[in-house]
Amino acid sequence: MAVVIIAEILFVPAAWPRLSSSHRLSAVIAIVVPFITTFQSVSSTSSVITEDNLNSQLRHYPYDHVLFHPGKMCRTCQMVKPARSKHCRICKVCVAKQDHHCIWVMNCLGRGNYVYFIGMILSLAILLSYGAYLCYLLLDDTLQDVLVRRSAGMETRSHWTVGRTYMQRFDLWTWAFTGDVRIGSVGLLALFTAPLAWGLFLYHVYLIWAGTTTNESFKWEEWKEDIADGFVYKAGPAIPIERKSSDVDTEPKLFWPVSSSQRLINKVSQQPWRRKDDLDMQRRGWIRVLSMKEVDNIYDLGFMNNLRDIFHTS
C-alpha cells in the first residue's frame, strides 16, 4: 500500500484539475475503497479461535476425514482444532478456515476477514487499471491538444494518430511521458502492476470455485503426488465404517449439504510402489486411488454456495 500511496500523492495533484467531474467522483471511490478493505483485513480478529468461541467454531464445518480429522489438538494453543483451521506460527493463534498469513496486511486471513481480503485485491486491481486508463486519457489529451487542436481548432474531430506511423506514435508517446513525468511514471507503474493484482484475484476466485483455501490446496497437492505414486487407498464396500468413541465427543453433529463416507489411507514409505503390496491391500478390501477425481471434497458446494460462504464472517 505504501507504493500506492506514493503513486497517489504524485498523481492526484497533477491530474485533478484536468479531470472531469465524473472522473473525479470515480477516482475518489477507486482510491478510498482499497483503504477501507485493507483496514478491515488488517484489523479483523474474528477468525481467531479462542476458548470462548471454540464450540461455535467447531460447528461451522464438518471434518472430511481426509485433510481434517476430529480429535486433533493444537500443541501450542492446547485446544481441539476445528475442521479447516490451522495454527499460525507468526500470529501464534489458531485461525478458523485459515487461508494463509498475508505479509501485506500483517494478519492471518481466515473465515472472519477473507472476504475483506478479496475486496481489497479486487478494488486494488480496479484502482490500478483505472489509474492506467486515466493516465492514458490525460497524456492522449495532451498530444491531441499540442498536435491537433492548436493547429486545426478546438472543434476538429481528427485524432492525432491519423496519418502517423507506429514509430512516430512511439516517439510522440515518449515525448508525452517525459514531458509529464508524474502522470507518465504513475501510468506505467499502474499498467505493469495491474496484471499482478488481477492474477492474484483470479487465483482466489479459482480457490472459491474449487471449494478450497490456499492452505488446503497445498494439502491436496500432497495427496495428488501420493496418489500418482500409488500410495493412496480408499475403503471398499466390504470394509465397515467405524467411528472412534473419541470422535463422537470432538465431532459435533451439524447440517452440511454434502456428505461422504469415504475413508482414505496413505501408505507413503521410503519404498517405491510394489505390485505385491497393492494385491495385499486389495485382498484386505482396499482399492487403490488412481486420480483426484475419485476423492470427495465435501467443502465444495458449488461456486455460488462457496461464494456465499466467504461472506460468513462470524
Side-chain angles (χ1 to χ4, degrees):
M1 289 301 291
V3 176
V4 174
I5 294 173
I6 294 172
E8 290 171 352
I9 293 173
L10 292 174
F11 175 80
V12 173
W16 191 261
R18 300 154 62 182
L19 295 176
S20 65
S21 299
S22 59
H23 278 305
R24 288 180 181 180
L25 177 61
S26 300
V28 169
I29 296 173
I31 290 171
V32 170
V33 172
F35 285 99
I36 295 175
T37 52
T38 299
F39 173 77
Q40 291 173 318
S41 299
V42 172
S43 60
S44 175
T45 58
S46 57
S47 298
V48 176
I49 300 173
T50 64
E51 292 183 356
D52 294 333
N53 65 17
L54 177 60
N55 288 333
S56 62
Q57 295 289 0
L58 285 168
R59 288 174 169 79
H60 285 152
Y61 303 103
Y63 293 95
D64 65 348
H65 296 264
V66 179
L67 302 182
F68 305 100
H69 300 270
K72 297 290 185 180
M73 296 288 295
C74 174
R75 289 175 293 182
T76 304
C77 298
Q78 293 299 307
M79 290 188 299
V80 175
K81 299 175 68 172
R84 312 192 80 178
S85 68
K86 186 178 185 296
H87 182 85
C88 177
R89 296 181 180 179
I90 300 175
C91 297
K92 296 181 174 58
V93 293
C94 283
V95 180
K97 196 189 176 184
Q98 201 246 31
D99 188 87
H100 69 285
H101 180 90
C102 182
I103 60 174
W104 305 114
V105 302
M106 298 176 291
N107 197 6
C108 259
L109 302 174
R111 178 179 170 88
N113 60 351
Y114 182 67
V115 65
Y116 303 135
F117 173 74
I118 295 296
M120 182 191 75
I121 56 177
L122 175 59
S123 60
L124 185 59
I126 293 174
L127 172 64
L128 293 171
S129 301
Y130 185 57
Y133 173 68
L134 285 182
C135 290
Y136 163 78
L137 287 182
L138 293 174
L139 294 179
D140 181 75
D141 187 67
T142 298
L143 290 170
Q144 184 73 7
D145 184 60
V146 172
L147 300 174
V148 178
R149 294 194 187 108
R150 292 183 183 179
S151 59
M154 298 298 292
E155 300 301 324
T156 181
R157 295 185 178 181
S158 177
H159 194 260
W160 67 267
T161 57
V162 175
R164 289 183 169 87
T165 65
Y166 287 108
M167 185 56 66
Q168 290 174 329
R169 296 177 188 179
F170 177 79
D171 290 338
L172 289 170
W173 274 115
T174 303
W175 172 83
F177 273 100
T178 56
D180 200 342
V181 177
R182 285 190 172 189
I183 301 298
S185 58
V186 171
L188 285 176
L189 178 65
L191 180 65
F192 290 132
T193 54
L196 301 178
W198 281 114
L200 181 61
F201 172 71
L202 291 176
Y203 169 70
H204 281 276
V205 170
Y206 163 75
L207 291 179
I208 296 171
W209 171 81
T212 188
T213 64
T214 301
N215 173 51
E216 292 166 10
S217 68
F218 293 149
K219 295 177 181 290
W220 283 122
E221 193 62 31
E222 293 176 359
W223 276 96
K224 183 178 179 180
E225 293 175 0
D226 293 337
I227 288 173
D229 293 335
F231 292 129
V232 179
Y233 293 81
K234 63 180 179 180
I239 299 180
I241 298 176
E242 299 176 355
R243 296 183 66 189
K244 298 178 182 178
S245 58
S246 59
D247 291 352
V248 178
D249 299 327
T250 58
E251 187 176 8
K253 293 182 179 180
L254 55 88
F255 171 76
W256 191 251
V258 177
S259 62
S260 175
S261 59
Q262 69 179 359
R263 272 198 302 161
L264 303 182
I265 61 171
N266 196 322
K267 300 286 289 183
V268 173
S269 65
Q270 299 300 320
Q271 300 294 328
W273 179 84
R274 294 180 299 181
R275 179 64 179 172
K276 66 176 184 178
D277 294 334
D278 187 49
L279 293 174
D280 179 63
M281 291 295 294
Q282 291 187 34
R283 279 195 295 268
R284 290 190 286 165
W286 294 89
I287 304 171
R288 187 157 72 95
V289 178
L290 301 178
S291 73
M292 286 295 296
K293 294 180 180 180
E294 301 178 39
V295 180
D296 298 329
N297 177 15
I298 65 171
Y299 305 124
D300 183 10
L301 305 178
F303 178 71
M304 293 307 299
N305 287 325
N306 295 342
L307 187 61
R308 292 189 189 97
D309 182 65
I310 73 169
F311 286 93
H312 296 159
T313 58
S314 61

